[in-house]
Amino acid sequence: MKANTILLAAALSLAATGAMAQANCNQFPQQGGEALYNGICQDCHMPDGRGAEGAGHYPALARNPKLAEPGYPISVVTQGLKSMPAFGGAMSDQQIADVVNYVRTHFGNAYKDTVKPEDVKNAR
Amino acid sequence: MKDFANEKWTRRSLLTAIGLAGGTAAMYDAMLSMGYAANSDFSDPITLQGDAKGASVIILGAGIAGMVAAYEMRKAGYKVKILEFNNRPGGRNWSLHAGDSYTDIGGTTQKVDFAPGQYFNPGPWRLPYHHQGILHYCKMLNVPLESFVMYNNAALVHSAGAFGGKPKRFREVAADYEGHISELLAKATSQNKLDDQLDKDEKDGVLQMLKTWGGLDKNYEYRKGDQTSDFRGYDIPPGGGLMPGPVPSDIMPRKELFNSSLWNALYFPKQWDFQGQLFQPKGGMGEIGKAFGKLLDGVIQYDCKVTNIRQDETGVTVTYINSKTGGAPKTEKADWCVNTIPVSVLSQIPMNVGPKMRAAIDSLPYLPAVKVGLQFKRRFWEEDDNIYGGNTYTDQPIFNISYPSHGFFEKGPAVLLGAYIYRSGMRVYNFEALSAQEQIEAALEQGSKIHPQYRAEFMTGVAVAWHRVPWTLGCSGLWNDALREKHYADMCAVDNRIVLAGEHCSRLMAWQEGSVLSALDAITRLHKRVMSA
Ligand SMILES: Cc1cc2nc3c(=O)[nH]c(=O)nc-3n(C[C@H](O)[C@H](O)[C@H](O)COP(=O)(O)OP(=O)(O)OC[C@H]3O[C@@H](n4cnc5c(N)ncnc54)[C@H](O)[C@@H]3O)c2cc1C
């Protein structure tokens, strides 16, 4: 837990070891594509995957042709992309498959092929 | 006292040299070990020596880092200009006052309908006494500071799973942990169980200490009575005349206490950053940014969204559009560039820097965080519970309730921090993903487990989720050891005519002091480059 020593220095004092910590707070509890999307992705990509624009932006996942190749969203969710954090450590293969399938079949996306947990496992 | 000024001067030049060689951290370490950063007569953090000959600098972002850079470089003879996305100075140094409104990146607007004079700090809110850099600029700008109450023995510690969910006072938790642990240790010592560790002289000293510090009786027991209530408080405190007190209070049973997680809260006041003294600007943290903005009147061009940054042998060209109306891109050219745009945003802006700096910029996620401000009809925490400022902690997601450190005893509405969510790891994203309305509701729901007065007294609230703040897309750079090792030096290095600065270019994560020290360090190195060009 070496990283913690650094984190302790933060104004926000982030010691993961500690204070008043909630159980297992580094795993997302949500199950199923919709719950995962609403509980996580919606924070930045907004309800309905419409994205948002300010000084920087969150890309729209709605009608996004880059979701055609399932390996891409799997890798983005697992590994992160620039300021999008990596969620691989906080989600099971099943959860990642579910949320990727969800965004690939909602918000104007209608990709037919389904991602399986094994696909995620192989991509980790 | 002879040559005091001179001695200081020499120290400062030495520090500059150390800063150049070792970066900010080395300089800051050196500053502390030389007793410099802690000096109360800290007068001027740097002086850029040598004539800049009117060279021009374009500074991106009017947060603390950008404004420190602009002020110091202007002083050294540079022509300075800042481009800023917002229509106000300060960046994350920001307070929401009665009558303000805030629109997040998703387009949700919250009207801050606080009572006149009330405010909320959605971002920075406290300044430790040893952050002499930011305190220096507060003094320079005549921003009045008042005491920030970090630790209050009357504030509460709460765990849903301990003591039937009934909150305990800090003083009770601290006294009982210390008392029970002292008892165990004193008994082990007096029963010779630690003889292989302690010699005779030490033993007497330790016993004496445990007895006094833990509040133990002559048998080394931590028992209900005047002695322990003097630490943890009385059920009925001592009174006058024929009043009934004192009636001592019950001690929390050892096992139940030790099985709880309440000890976690005791760890805050131990940390250097939070030990105190801490300060807050009167009238809101945003006062610093406002005062800085006034000082730099005419230098800052507001409503400019930077969209492209290009450098070549002749200078740096920055392209921007109006952040409200869009429209045709404009450009601004300068010899040099100090870029304080948070890398969460900067990673999306084309800029021709070398692959190492680019990799550094693209590597850093930002911490999620949510703060909720709640206005109540009256200061029930003071009136009913005798809590004057300070922090309450809970193991519910809201984590932290903080009572205002100002306006004690005032009648009428007051605002407290009803949630400060950043510690619960990945779960913070779940909280950020809620709507502002839902965040306020959660703060009320969880807060009323601690203060039953909440629902009846609530008036209005405001919630800020930092990944939805349009101009930072996150709270602060989330460095860890591995990322630092790989990218930190490249992030901070001067790349031809461009240097980055800001909170993300510091080892003081999510502290304004990091922005100040980063800016000073960056412009010192850039200036050196200019002098040798
Ligand atoms: C929740 C929270 C709690 C904190 N608590 C504390 C605390 O108690 N004490 C403390 O000292 N610090 C605290 N901090 C940290 C402190 O707020 C920051 O370290 C500091 O304010 C950052 O200053 P900066 O100049 O580095 O960046 P910023 O203030 O973010 O300045 C960057 C500027 O760049 C502008 N910008 C962004 N994109 C563009 C663009 N495309 N074009 C033009 N301009 C752009 C932004 O609008 C902004 O004004 C806290 C922060 C948060 C979020």
Side-chain angles (χ1 to χ4, degrees), chain A residues 11-12 55-56, chain B residues 60-66 83-86 88-93 122-128 131 134 285 304-307 340-342 345 349 369 371 420 466 470-472 474-476 501-504 508-515:
Chain A
L12 308 164
Chain B
L60 309 182
I64 294 295
L83 298 179
E84 164 56 45
F85 175 81
N86 285 321
R88 59 161 184 91
R92 276 169 275 181
N93 175 287
W125 52 317
R126 46 194 172 188
L127 303 170
H131 284 185
I134 186 73
M285 188 58 83
C304 296
K305 171 173 163 172
V306 170
T307 56
T340 75
I341 296 176
V345 175
I349 300 177
K371 269 174 127 180
Y420 189 14
W466 277 87
W471 34 272
T472 54
C475 166
S476 56
E503 179 273 338
H504 50 285
L508 291 95
M509 290 195 291
W511 285 114
Q512 293 167 104
E513 185 73 356
S515 310

Side-chain angles (χ1 to χ4, degrees), chain B residues 163-190:
Chain B
F163 301 99
K166 194 177 169 307
K168 299 291 177 187
R169 301 273 185 178
F170 247 98
R171 58 168 194 265
E172 299 166 339
V173 178
D176 289 358
Y177 270 109
E178 289 166 11
H180 286 310
I181 286 169
S182 298
E183 179 183 309
L184 287 176
L185 211 51
K187 282 183 173 165
T189 308
S190 68

